[in-house]
Amino acid sequence: QVQLVESGGGLVQAGGSLRLSCAASGSIFGIKVVGWYRQAPGKEREWVATIHTNRNTFYADSVKGRFTISRDNAKNTAYLHMNSLKPEDTAVYYCNFVTSYVPWGQGTQVTVAS
C-alpha cells in the first residue's frame, strides 16, 4: 500500500513563502500524475495543482502565478513552492495521485497570518 507523507507547513506572514513536500513510499511514484489539494476549515477539499509525468503543470486560478509544483522522481517526492501567500491560503495541504487516489495522508497545516 502506497503511503503519502506531507511536510513543510507552518505559520507564515502574508507575503511569505513556504515549500511543501510530499514523499511517497513504493516504486510507482514516477509513473503517476501527482496533485496537491487543500482543505480550509469548514470547506471541502479543493484541487490546487497537478504535475504530469512529462512535468506539464496545471494550477487552480486562485494560486496561478504564486505556487509552483515540481517533482523529483529519484526521491519519490513532489513539492509545492508557495510564494506571496495570502490569509486565504490557510488550509491543510494534501497530495495524492490524481487519476488513482491512494489513502490520504495526514496533510500539513499552512497558516498565513495577516
Side-chain angles (χ1 to χ4, degrees):
Q1 182 80 343
V2 175
Q3 290 186 317
L4 300 170
V5 179
E6 301 90 349
S7 62
L11 172 63
V12 64
Q13 294 292 316
S17 300
L18 284 172
R19 187 186 78 163
L20 306 184
S21 298
C22 165
S25 63
S27 59
I28 65 172
F29 179 84
I31 62 172
K32 293 293 188 179
V33 179
V34 180
W36 280 96
Y37 304 80
R38 67 186 181 186
Q39 187 167 18
K43 295 186 177 181
E44 293 189 354
R45 187 174 291 159
E46 65 174 359
W47 168 74
V48 174
T50 295
I51 184 166
H52 285 247
T53 54
N54 61 5
R55 289 180 166 74
N56 282 350
T57 57
F58 301 88
Y59 299 93
D61 287 345
S62 59
V63 306
K64 200 172 293 183
R66 300 188 298 121
F67 290 10
T68 302
I69 188 172
S70 62
R71 64 191 298 161
D72 185 337
N73 290 342
K75 296 182 178 179
N76 283 359
T77 301
Y79 303 96
L80 187 67
H81 305 255
M82 306 187 296
N83 297 319
S84 302
L85 282 161
K86 304 176 180 180
E88 51 263 44
D89 295 318
T90 294
V92 179
Y93 284 71
Y94 304 87
C95 63
N96 215 315
F97 301 134
V98 173
T99 57
S100 54
Y101 287 164
V102 297
W104 294 88
Q106 83 287 353
T108 186
Q109 175 71 49
V110 172
T111 302
V112 185
S114 58

